[in-house]
Amino acid sequence: MKKQYDVLIIGAGVVGNAIARELSRYKINAAVVEKDLDVSTGTSSRNSGVIHSGIHYKPGTLRARLNVRGNALMTDLCRDLKVKIQYIGKLTVAQDDIDVETLHSLKQQGEANGVPGLEILDKDQMQKIQPGVGGIRALHSPTTGIICPYGLTIALAENAQANGVDFYLGNEVNNIVSNGQGFTVKTSAGESLSASVVVNAAGLYSDHIARMVGISDYSIYPCRGEYLILDKRLEGSLNVLVYPAPRKGGAGLGIHLTNTVDGNILIGPSNEYVNEADDYACTAQIIDTLKKEGHELLPGLSTSDFIRNFSGLRPKQTPPEIKGFKDFVIESRDDVPGFINLVGIESPGLTCSPAIGLMVRDMVAEKIPLEEKPSFISERPGIVGFFNELRPEEQADLVAKDPDYGEIVCRCEQVTKKEVLDAIQNPLGAKTIGAIKYRSRAMMGRCQGGFCLPRIVQILQKDFGYRPEDYLLSNAGSQLFTGRVR
Amino acid sequence: MNTIKHDVVVIGGGPAGLAAAISARKNGCKDVLLIERDKRLGGILNQCIHDGFGLHTFKEALTGPEYAQRFIDEFSELGIESMLNTIVLSADGKRNLYASSRKNLTRIEAGSVILSMGCRERTAGAISLPGTRPAGIYTAGAAQNFINLQNIMVGKKVVILGSGDIGLIMARRMTLEGAKVEGVFEILPYPSGLARNIQQCLNDYDIPLSLSTSVIEIHGKERVTGVTVAQIDANYRPVSGTERLVPCDSILLSVGLIPENELTRGAGINMEGRTSGAAVDDTFMTSVPGIFSCGNVLHVHDLVDHVSSEASQVGEYAVRYLEGEIKSPDAYIKIEPRQGVRYVLPQKISGIRDFTLSLRVTEPMRDRAVWVRDGERKVARKKMARLHPAEMIRIKIKKEKLNDAKVLEVAVE
């Protein structure tokens, strides 16, 4: 790879990759530097996967503007990148008169932000949309959607790479030296990369990266949200997203059920500040709370329907004693010329990401002339979704074309060998089992890899020459095995 | 699309499927097809290289592969057709199946179907273990696959959570491979596995078993570095002050088996919550006529010998169904578990034939009797010195004993 770039983006989350993909339209050299061994390992893969409508943010704020614009951009983007998205709509539900007032002000706020189609529904209208839903009134936002958040992040990265962006995975930025004309960025893997523009899209570590160039105005306070994933058996229990009306003092949007595009339902997230930016532990207390809430919200739930728990971290700018929200920081710094700084991109960052891509492009254009390149390909090859979502006739056609489609590796999600091979040989290269999981959905079903992990290990050994010590779950040090039997 | 027809289609080529297919053939059906997703027959027995299989069936202690081979040999000698490397993607209530292999996607129209897909292991996610999610957490069966079939070691310093039989077997296996097993921790006040495995796999190797104790937190960012264990009270809550850290690099889970009933549910078959398997009658027929279920997909068995004998009966019934001899009766006699009984099987019977009742008790007990009653009337009674949830109890019942019972109640007294 070139080592000398016009633009270097730090962080391969959805924001970094959306910027990279946007910049890949132009005749410039760009690269993404990421500390982990894959893209989308932090906040971008650990969230509800909701495309928000934009009702929750004060008119005029960056969050409000980018949310509404990002939401509108998402349709075409997902079509081009073959990412599943469903605009299923959301009911924000009022339980009492105070809540109803909140709904009215949310509606007003949403309309001021330019959110289309908002309506306050009465009980009957609510029941038509979601039979059995509680509450006395609801605000319906039809442009709220669901998406696979890591699917989008991976797709953005792959498309950016196909259009010439270099990716340095497993490269934690150790220091950044500014020489007035540009920057030299040194990484943990020994890379020394130079660039005229550096974009800080480091999410939970954005304060840390900013400090490397002398910007000490910001602090990130990781705020953990725990989730439970429910078995696909419950698919279809929810037609729309149902959220409680926000109440004073809440830092998130409340514990709720969220459908995913893949058919699982999520319960969560909780809301709890932690000290470390990689503290993804789940706690007994919150697991219990989520289970209790789950049983209340979904009466048909059985204990065997919980298939996994996970947590994500919100990169909040507000410390625990203040809580609440602060607007996104997206700035081109005059004191550090060429440094574009993004701090505190928490919810609705996923929704905003395409709009952030455009905003940062404009900031880059002020530094470097951007000329469109005719070779840009906006579409990503492949099919939308997975083998198991196709009709038998379509499946038969695929198997006839490629026998690897006929071999099921993961029984729960019915993931084919072809899909596993595609994940292993993805354009960015799979260095971890996690990379295969997030691309193919193998190991994501109710047996959590009990059946398919041994098969995937075998494929990697036979077809790719893996030795026992080569298998990593996620990061350096996450070896699956300790060696051979004696 | 390629469409084929067969009289009896058996899904799954483990011990249940093999015995069912053999029995169907021996009972006169010439058109039996067995579908197996793996490249060889035998199912999970292929990774069970320890001995102890076949004590009832063959009166000798065989290894898993040896036990399977006896059935595979007979299966081959009888010339029964099989499709290997083929997975059934779905089944419907009219006995149509879709099966996928590298060759093609095939639609199969079956006269009768025997479901014998076995079971899978309960996971860390299913028991919602608090803590981090590092590498080094395996179900005991997955670890068994890596060690016995792929010669790969999963850890050197091991904690085993749950005292199911596979966990006990793996405690010994890991020890034999040079790993240190720090202990087996069981949340219940009694072990879940068979007494003989406690002796032969733990006691003989000085591996400590801690009852009423569980892992309450997993530690380690990238790879497991340890677990916190604590005593558990009667309400399954950790007893404060009893927490201790056990350093380890891996955790094997042996916390229960779950019948693998995706196809069953997909076919719209009525399920039984207590067994997590299909609800069946005395011919092991499910709520969908012509679809039968046997082995661990129906209810988790203690011994493979019992799986084989159950499946043999089912093979016969599947053939009788084709001959029009098995029909749903106008009214069933229900069988219900009462005091001390976790589940009974079958859940309902026609009353026109002898049958074997299978059941498990709720907790360990001594010197009791299992009673089968029709109201006040005794239908059967089995006295036992030792009753344990790990062991299946089987009671043969003659049809003459049923009279005109409407409900049979099964209780430990």
Side-chain angles (χ1 to χ4, degrees), chain B residues 112-299:
Chain B
S112 61
V113 174
I114 299 174
L115 304 172
S116 50
M117 294 87 75
C119 59
R120 61 187 154 82
E121 297 177 283
R122 186 167 283 133
T123 65
I127 57 172
S128 306
L129 276 178
T132 51
R133 291 288 169 268
I137 307 170
Y138 296 96
T139 57
Q144 191 177 44
N145 180 304
F146 287 124
I147 293 175
N148 291 350
L149 298 183
Q150 305 196 47
N151 296 326
I152 298 173
M153 272 302 268
V154 297
K156 290 179 175 162
K157 211 170 154 64
V158 190
V159 155
I160 296 181
L161 175 57
S163 59
D165 286 309
I166 312 172
L168 304 178
I169 296 288
M170 286 311 293
R172 176 175 66 185
R173 187 78 185 97
M174 298 293 286
T175 307
L176 291 173
E177 285 301 335
K180 175 91 174 78
V181 178
E182 297 295 326
V184 176
F185 300 97
E186 170 58 57
I187 194 166
L188 296 171
Y190 52 87
S192 305
L194 297 170
R196 74 172 197 220
N197 284 333
I198 301 289
Q199 184 57 44
Q200 294 170 9
C201 300
L202 300 187
N203 299 350
D204 290 356
Y205 293 85
D206 293 327
I207 298 168
L209 167 66
S210 308
L211 299 174
S212 297
T213 306
S214 195
V215 169
I216 60 164
E217 193 174 355
I218 297 172
H219 305 285
K221 277 209 166 116
E222 307 303 343
R223 174 88 195 184
V224 174
T225 57
V227 294
T228 301
V229 301
Q231 281 175 31
I232 302 296
D233 68 17
N235 299 316
Y236 298 108
R237 295 275 160 194
V239 178
S240 154
T242 65
E243 302 89 353
R244 67 188 165 99
L245 182 73
V246 181
C248 60
D249 66 7
S250 48
I251 304 163
L252 302 194
L253 292 156
S254 185
V255 291
L257 299 170
I258 304 161
E260 200 175 306
N261 274 301
E262 282 71 16
L263 293 175
T264 321
R265 285 196 193 87
I269 288 167
N270 291 346
M271 302 295 293
E272 161 67 32
R274 294 186 187 90
T275 55
S276 303
V280 292
D281 64 16
D282 47 328
T283 66
F284 295 88
M285 191 158 82
T286 66
S287 61
V288 172
I291 302 188
F292 298 80
S293 177
C294 60
N296 282 348
V297 76
L298 179 61
H299 60 134

Side-chain angles (χ1 to χ4, degrees), chain A residues 316-337:
Chain A
K316 292 190 88 72
Q317 294 183 74
T318 45
E321 57 277 15
I322 296 173
K323 291 192 179 132
F325 298 104
K326 231 182 189 177
D327 202 11
F328 295 163
V329 172
I330 301 176
E331 57 183 8
S332 189
R333 298 284 296 211
D334 293 334
D335 52 345
V336 192

Side-chain angles (χ1 to χ4, degrees), chain A residues 59-126:
Chain A
T61 60
L62 262 183
R63 297 212 305 179
R65 196 152 54 82
L66 295 170
N67 185 326
V68 177
R69 193 172 184 200
N71 183 302
L73 289 166
M74 212 52 98
T75 317
D76 287 355
L77 183 66
C78 289
R79 184 201 57 218
D80 285 353
L81 298 183
K82 304 213 167 53
V83 173
K84 275 191 284 181
I85 184 166
Q86 297 163 9
Y87 288 96
I88 59 173
K90 172 171 114 173
L91 294 177
T92 305
V93 175
Q95 301 295 346
D96 56 28
D97 291 344
I98 299 172
D99 283 349
V100 174
E101 274 176 46
T102 307
L103 295 190
H104 282 283
S105 53
L106 279 177
K107 179 167 183 275
Q108 215 171 15
Q109 179 166 282
E111 282 164 351
N113 289 340
V115 179
L118 294 175
E119 255 188 300
I120 303 257
L121 307 183
D122 64 22
K123 269 187 172 176
D124 286 350
Q125 293 168 308
M126 289 161 68

Side-chain angles (χ1 to χ4, degrees), chain A residues 374-405:
Chain A
S375 60
F376 175 74
I377 302 158
S378 67
E379 289 180 17
R380 195 169 69 119
I383 55 168
V384 183
F386 299 96
F387 178 85
N388 76 339
E389 295 165 334
L390 302 174
R391 288 180 294 114
E393 294 74 21
E394 296 172 307
Q395 292 179 330
D397 286 348
L398 283 179
V399 176
K401 261 183 237 155
D402 188 338
D404 284 333
Y405 272 117

